[in-house]
Amino acid sequence: TELKMIQAIFTKLHEWGPDMLEVWNISYDIGAILEVLERENVNPATVFSDPSVPDEFKYFRFKKGKTSRMTEKGVHKGLDYHEQWHTVITPAKFYIVDGMSAYYYIRQGGKQVPTGYSLDSILGKELGDKFKKIKIEDGVAEHLEKTDWHLYMSKKRKIPYVVYNQYDTRGPKALDRHTKDLCQVMPLLSVYSPFTI
């Protein structure tokens, strides 16, 4: 089930204990996880908190960042997803960071990425032809739009879909080896400030 999958993933994460857990567009993924946990009546603190923490000290908070800002003319302007800094606050060995927002903020004040801040776009910009997503052509898949494509692949082409999704884990790793954003730059730029701000 979705719940068992989420619990298994976090059990493995707590076992590994990485410094950071990177999510690209954190509000989508954390939102989807929380939706499942709420539907199954599971307290997020029991999943996100490290298992070594006594139950009475486990907690979870998804702190949403600003979603708009005031322009010089006094008008509220919505912030794009990459401009928002959302934070997961929980006692775990790892900090959950939005790779998309970290990429944007590290380069804040520089040129915007004209193709947007999707993982595909940033990987293309930074790695070019060194890292490309596989294409699955079976006479049906290549003719489907994004949501229909994912539904079709997850139901009819499970093994190729799993292989395809490896891109979403290997891509950010390759990107960080190239940019050093999460392993070096973000911690250095933060100095003594917590990542939550």
Side-chain angles (χ1 to χ4, degrees):
T1 66
E2 291 175 310
L3 175 62
K4 287 180 181 176
M5 178 186 67
I6 290 166
Q7 290 170 326
I9 289 168
F10 277 90
T11 296
K12 187 55 78 174
L13 283 166
H14 292 306
E15 180 186 312
W16 285 342
D19 294 326
M20 288 190 194
L21 168 60
E22 180 184 8
V23 179
W24 202 270
N25 190 3
I26 197 169
S27 62
Y28 176 82
D29 289 287
I30 297 299
I33 290 168
L34 293 177
E35 193 176 287
V36 171
L37 296 179
E38 185 177 333
R39 187 173 64 235
E40 298 290 337
N41 202 27
V42 174
N43 182 349
T46 62
V47 174
F48 285 86
S49 299
D50 192 276
S52 66
V53 174
D55 287 345
E56 63 268 26
F57 297 114
K58 290 180 179 176
Y59 60 88
F60 171 86
R61 180 173 164 224
F62 185 42
K63 178 186 167 200
K64 296 257 186 157
K66 292 180 183 176
T67 56
S68 67
R69 67 177 172 83
M70 187 77 74
T71 65
E72 291 175 2
K73 294 181 179 179
V75 177
H76 278 282
K77 178 187 181 277
L79 296 174
D80 287 326
Y81 288 114
H82 61 272
E83 298 176 289
Q84 300 173 23
W85 191 262
H86 306 305
T87 304
V88 173
I89 303 170
T90 191
K93 294 176 184 134
F94 46 84
Y95 176 74
I96 304 175
V97 63
D98 187 332
M100 177 175 63
S101 297
Y103 182 89
Y104 169 76
Y105 276 104
I106 286 169
R107 290 156 187 81
Q108 191 174 16
K111 290 181 179 177
Q112 292 282 325
V113 179
T115 54
Y117 287 83
S118 70
L119 181 58
D120 291 350
S121 175
I122 299 303
L123 287 171
K125 178 186 181 305
E126 292 292 337
L127 303 177
D129 290 337
K130 294 178 191 172
F131 196 91
K132 286 196 170 195
K133 191 174 259 193
I134 64 169
K135 292 188 188 228
I136 298 166
E137 297 178 356
D138 66 356
V140 176
E142 63 269 26
H143 303 292
L144 298 172
E145 294 299 320
K146 193 170 188 174
T147 303
D148 291 334
W149 185 89
H150 285 285
L151 290 170
Y152 168 77
M153 292 300 294
S154 65
K155 289 179 180 170
K156 305 286 186 185
R157 302 295 312 276
K158 291 180 182 177
I159 299 300
Y161 191 55
V162 168
V163 173
Y164 166 88
N165 278 291
Q166 288 297 308
Y167 171 91
D168 288 337
T169 57
R170 297 191 185 278
K173 284 180 174 181
L175 180 64
D176 202 53
R177 278 194 298 274
H178 175 74
T179 63
K180 308 276 189 267
D181 280 357
L182 301 183
C183 68
Q184 291 178 2
V185 181
M186 189 176 95
L188 285 171
L189 289 177
S190 297
V191 192
Y192 299 115
S193 300
F195 294 148
T196 54
I197 61 168

